Amino acid sequence: MSKNKKMNYNVTLWILVGLILGILVGLVMPQWLETPISVVASIYMSALRMMIYPLVFCSLIMGIVGIGNIAKTGKIGLHALLWYIGTTALASGLGLILPKILHLGEGAQIVSTGAEIEAASFSGLLDTITTLIPSNPLVSFVEGNMLQVLAFAVIMGLACLSLKEKAQPVVDLVQSVNDISIWVVGKVMLCTPVGVFCCIASVMHANSTDTMLQVAQVMIALYVTFAVYAAVVYGGIVKFVGKMSPLKFFKGIAPAALNAFGTCSSSATIPLSMKCATENLEIPEEISSLTLPLGATINMDAVSILMSFMITFFASACGVPLTTGTMLTVLACNVLLSIGTPGVPGGAIAAFAALAPIAGLPVSTIMGVYIVVNTLADMGATCVNVMGDLACTTVLKHTLRKITGK
């Protein structure tokens, strides 16, 4: 096992230990211990939020530039891009609708475990479109207007793609800032076991048993949704479009799926995914060498389900109305943020912290609970994301066989 994989396994193990200890301590925590634990939890969440905007901004630009380069290689990149965006939008929509049908979050009352942060308000779809382009991008960063930051990143990414060599110095700078941001977030994530311990202890101490039971229901619903989504969507498309037996497909990708479940990292699973695609599914390397790295970057189906689920749950628990316009905006931003979500353990935490204010949710009030849910759901979400990468690769083997000649 490589050094990175060992580290990911160890972090995952310690996160689970921190989660269990946090639950036990939170149930019996004396009053004098509440303040120091809350302080540590607040520092941890502040450290996560610190790199949100540079990470999302730079990752989105690099994602657009990278997608453009891949698309130039032909239909493989274009078809993969359409697949990933389409399935991410489908997953995000499912995550917004299903919790409403199941009435998740009703009766739950989320109590803040840190300082309040002013949440971004949503006044309407037309107003959002009107103010989407920032007149001053720096103000958008300072005020935390994620919609405008995303729009500015898309504009910059397309400009860099169009200018090619002329924009290379900017692309190199953005790549460097992106690498720095990922490094900082990676180091912060090493503190996740302690952060999770403090967050769950504070959450358990501050919130009622009924609320925690609601969170448990969300977890059950999430994993059932993950399983059904993988079996129905991926299995169905592989069978009817990819012309491959779903049993052969799921059996062939099992090593990569299990590795993703254990490491919580789609990026770290790429080598094993390529091996499964080539040896078990007999997919040409011309396809897998493009679709799998691209998928690890932008295919976040299960993460989109997770974030949409929690947006709906928290909106219900906090009494924040989700209008049709808000849901459409969340869906669109979820797809965009999936391009900028790093395929590393805990990458969705930073993305959710960026998405929540767009829906008008109080970030500091809900992040403690979200970190707990993300920790438990991250393994299943990463596993499903990797399945989606390999499903796309399998489908393209059949639909693009004329290109590869195989």
PDB file of all heavy atoms in Angstrom, residues 304-320:
ATOM      1  N   SER A 304     -23.072  15.580  -4.866  1.00  0.00           N
ATOM      2  CA  SER A 304     -24.194  16.461  -5.188  1.00  0.00           C
ATOM      3  C   SER A 304     -25.464  16.008  -4.473  1.00  0.00           C
ATOM      4  O   SER A 304     -26.243  16.833  -3.988  1.00  0.00           O
ATOM      5  CB  SER A 304     -24.421  16.486  -6.704  1.00  0.00           C
ATOM      6  OG  SER A 304     -23.320  17.057  -7.370  1.00  0.00           O
ATOM      7  N   ILE A 305     -25.683  14.695  -4.433  1.00  0.00           N
ATOM      8  CA  ILE A 305     -26.822  14.167  -3.680  1.00  0.00           C
ATOM      9  C   ILE A 305     -26.698  14.551  -2.213  1.00  0.00           C
ATOM     10  O   ILE A 305     -27.648  15.038  -1.584  1.00  0.00           O
ATOM     11  CB  ILE A 305     -26.907  12.634  -3.821  1.00  0.00           C
ATOM     12  CG1 ILE A 305     -27.269  12.248  -5.250  1.00  0.00           C
ATOM     13  CG2 ILE A 305     -27.942  12.061  -2.843  1.00  0.00           C
ATOM     14  CD1 ILE A 305     -27.258  10.742  -5.496  1.00  0.00           C
ATOM     15  N   LEU A 306     -25.511  14.350  -1.652  1.00  0.00           N
ATOM     16  CA  LEU A 306     -25.262  14.660  -0.241  1.00  0.00           C
ATOM     17  C   LEU A 306     -25.525  16.125   0.068  1.00  0.00           C
ATOM     18  O   LEU A 306     -26.258  16.455   1.012  1.00  0.00           O
ATOM     19  CB  LEU A 306     -23.820  14.286   0.107  1.00  0.00           C
ATOM     20  CG  LEU A 306     -23.266  14.795   1.442  1.00  0.00           C
ATOM     21  CD1 LEU A 306     -24.059  14.230   2.606  1.00  0.00           C
ATOM     22  CD2 LEU A 306     -21.789  14.451   1.581  1.00  0.00           C
ATOM     23  N   MET A 307     -24.949  17.029  -0.736  1.00  0.00           N
ATOM     24  CA  MET A 307     -25.092  18.453  -0.454  1.00  0.00           C
ATOM     25  C   MET A 307     -26.530  18.920  -0.657  1.00  0.00           C
ATOM     26  O   MET A 307     -27.050  19.708   0.137  1.00  0.00           O
ATOM     27  CB  MET A 307     -24.118  19.259  -1.320  1.00  0.00           C
ATOM     28  CG  MET A 307     -22.655  19.021  -0.951  1.00  0.00           C
ATOM     29  SD  MET A 307     -21.507  20.277  -1.558  1.00  0.00           S
ATOM     30  CE  MET A 307     -21.615  20.012  -3.318  1.00  0.00           C
ATOM     31  N   SER A 308     -27.197  18.430  -1.693  1.00  0.00           N
ATOM     32  CA  SER A 308     -28.597  18.804  -1.912  1.00  0.00           C
ATOM     33  C   SER A 308     -29.484  18.270  -0.794  1.00  0.00           C
ATOM     34  O   SER A 308     -30.405  18.950  -0.332  1.00  0.00           O
ATOM     35  CB  SER A 308     -29.077  18.265  -3.264  1.00  0.00           C
ATOM     36  OG  SER A 308     -28.407  18.891  -4.334  1.00  0.00           O
ATOM     37  N   PHE A 309     -29.218  17.033  -0.375  1.00  0.00           N
ATOM     38  CA  PHE A 309     -29.948  16.444   0.753  1.00  0.00           C
ATOM     39  C   PHE A 309     -29.860  17.353   1.972  1.00  0.00           C
ATOM     40  O   PHE A 309     -30.875  17.665   2.612  1.00  0.00           O
ATOM     41  CB  PHE A 309     -29.338  15.072   1.098  1.00  0.00           C
ATOM     42  CG  PHE A 309     -30.279  13.924   0.929  1.00  0.00           C
ATOM     43  CD1 PHE A 309     -30.475  13.361  -0.326  1.00  0.00           C
ATOM     44  CD2 PHE A 309     -30.956  13.380   2.000  1.00  0.00           C
ATOM     45  CE1 PHE A 309     -31.327  12.292  -0.496  1.00  0.00           C
ATOM     46  CE2 PHE A 309     -31.813  12.316   1.847  1.00  0.00           C
ATOM     47  CZ  PHE A 309     -32.005  11.764   0.597  1.00  0.00           C
ATOM     48  N   MET A 310     -28.636  17.764   2.288  1.00  0.00           N
ATOM     49  CA  MET A 310     -28.427  18.537   3.506  1.00  0.00           C
ATOM     50  C   MET A 310     -28.955  19.960   3.381  1.00  0.00           C
ATOM     51  O   MET A 310     -29.389  20.551   4.370  1.00  0.00           O
ATOM     52  CB  MET A 310     -26.939  18.535   3.867  1.00  0.00           C
ATOM     53  CG  MET A 310     -26.387  17.153   4.182  1.00  0.00           C
ATOM     54  SD  MET A 310     -27.426  16.185   5.308  1.00  0.00           S
ATOM     55  CE  MET A 310     -27.364  17.193   6.797  1.00  0.00           C
ATOM     56  N   ILE A 311     -28.915  20.526   2.178  1.00  0.00           N
ATOM     57  CA  ILE A 311     -29.522  21.841   1.964  1.00  0.00           C
ATOM     58  C   ILE A 311     -31.014  21.779   2.297  1.00  0.00           C
ATOM     59  O   ILE A 311     -31.555  22.636   3.022  1.00  0.00           O
ATOM     60  CB  ILE A 311     -29.331  22.310   0.499  1.00  0.00           C
ATOM     61  CG1 ILE A 311     -27.877  22.725   0.245  1.00  0.00           C
ATOM     62  CG2 ILE A 311     -30.281  23.466   0.163  1.00  0.00           C
ATOM     63  CD1 ILE A 311     -27.462  23.999   0.942  1.00  0.00           C
ATOM     64  N   THR A 312     -31.696  20.749   1.778  1.00  0.00           N
ATOM     65  CA  THR A 312     -33.135  20.597   2.024  1.00  0.00           C
ATOM     66  C   THR A 312     -33.415  20.315   3.496  1.00  0.00           C
ATOM     67  O   THR A 312     -34.349  20.859   4.088  1.00  0.00           O
ATOM     68  CB  THR A 312     -33.707  19.466   1.155  1.00  0.00           C
ATOM     69  OG1 THR A 312     -33.344  19.681  -0.203  1.00  0.00           O
ATOM     70  CG2 THR A 312     -35.216  19.424   1.253  1.00  0.00           C
ATOM     71  N   PHE A 313     -32.611  19.443   4.096  1.00  0.00           N
ATOM     72  CA  PHE A 313     -32.788  19.095   5.512  1.00  0.00           C
ATOM     73  C   PHE A 313     -32.616  20.323   6.395  1.00  0.00           C
ATOM     74  O   PHE A 313     -33.453  20.604   7.270  1.00  0.00           O
ATOM     75  CB  PHE A 313     -31.790  18.006   5.908  1.00  0.00           C
ATOM     76  CG  PHE A 313     -31.744  17.742   7.387  1.00  0.00           C
ATOM     77  CD1 PHE A 313     -32.721  16.971   7.993  1.00  0.00           C
ATOM     78  CD2 PHE A 313     -30.712  18.259   8.173  1.00  0.00           C
ATOM     79  CE1 PHE A 313     -32.683  16.720   9.368  1.00  0.00           C
ATOM     80  CE2 PHE A 313     -30.676  18.018   9.536  1.00  0.00           C
ATOM     81  CZ  PHE A 313     -31.660  17.245  10.138  1.00  0.00           C
ATOM     82  N   PHE A 314     -31.538  21.076   6.203  1.00  0.00           N
ATOM     83  CA  PHE A 314     -31.266  22.241   7.036  1.00  0.00           C
ATOM     84  C   PHE A 314     -32.296  23.346   6.807  1.00  0.00           C
ATOM     85  O   PHE A 314     -32.654  24.061   7.749  1.00  0.00           O
ATOM     86  CB  PHE A 314     -29.859  22.772   6.765  1.00  0.00           C
ATOM     87  CG  PHE A 314     -28.764  21.932   7.347  1.00  0.00           C
ATOM     88  CD1 PHE A 314     -27.663  21.568   6.583  1.00  0.00           C
ATOM     89  CD2 PHE A 314     -28.827  21.493   8.658  1.00  0.00           C
ATOM     90  CE1 PHE A 314     -26.647  20.789   7.118  1.00  0.00           C
ATOM     91  CE2 PHE A 314     -27.814  20.713   9.196  1.00  0.00           C
ATOM     92  CZ  PHE A 314     -26.721  20.354   8.426  1.00  0.00           C
ATOM     93  N   ALA A 315     -32.737  23.498   5.570  1.00  0.00           N
ATOM     94  CA  ALA A 315     -33.763  24.506   5.291  1.00  0.00           C
ATOM     95  C   ALA A 315     -35.030  24.206   6.084  1.00  0.00           C
ATOM     96  O   ALA A 315     -35.653  25.108   6.654  1.00  0.00           O
ATOM     97  CB  ALA A 315     -34.064  24.550   3.794  1.00  0.00           C
ATOM     98  N   SER A 316     -35.408  22.927   6.136  1.00  0.00           N
ATOM     99  CA  SER A 316     -36.589  22.526   6.894  1.00  0.00           C
ATOM    100  C   SER A 316     -36.365  22.703   8.387  1.00  0.00           C
ATOM    101  O   SER A 316     -37.231  23.211   9.104  1.00  0.00           O
ATOM    102  CB  SER A 316     -36.937  21.063   6.582  1.00  0.00           C
ATOM    103  OG  SER A 316     -38.065  20.637   7.319  1.00  0.00           O
ATOM    104  N   ALA A 317     -35.178  22.311   8.872  1.00  0.00           N
ATOM    105  CA  ALA A 317     -34.887  22.389  10.299  1.00  0.00           C
ATOM    106  C   ALA A 317     -34.750  23.832  10.785  1.00  0.00           C
ATOM    107  O   ALA A 317     -35.125  24.144  11.918  1.00  0.00           O
ATOM    108  CB  ALA A 317     -33.618  21.611  10.613  1.00  0.00           C
ATOM    109  N   CYS A 318     -34.222  24.709   9.926  1.00  0.00           N
ATOM    110  CA  CYS A 318     -33.994  26.106  10.309  1.00  0.00           C
ATOM    111  C   CYS A 318     -35.152  27.019   9.921  1.00  0.00           C
ATOM    112  O   CYS A 318     -35.103  28.226  10.179  1.00  0.00           O
ATOM    113  CB  CYS A 318     -32.699  26.623   9.672  1.00  0.00           C
ATOM    114  SG  CYS A 318     -31.204  25.758  10.215  1.00  0.00           S
ATOM    115  N   GLY A 319     -36.167  26.467   9.258  1.00  0.00           N
ATOM    116  CA  GLY A 319     -37.313  27.274   8.852  1.00  0.00           C
ATOM    117  C   GLY A 319     -37.023  28.215   7.712  1.00  0.00           C
ATOM    118  O   GLY A 319     -37.659  29.264   7.589  1.00  0.00           O
ATOM    119  N   VAL A 320     -36.061  27.857   6.859  1.00  0.00           N
ATOM    120  CA  VAL A 320     -35.729  28.687   5.690  1.00  0.00           C
ATOM    121  C   VAL A 320     -36.490  28.150   4.481  1.00  0.00           C
ATOM    122  O   VAL A 320     -36.319  26.990   4.107  1.00  0.00           O
ATOM    123  CB  VAL A 320     -34.215  28.651   5.403  1.00  0.00           C
ATOM    124  CG1 VAL A 320     -33.896  29.435   4.136  1.00  0.00           C
ATOM    125  CG2 VAL A 320     -33.435  29.200   6.589  1.00  0.00           C
TER     126      VAL A 320
END
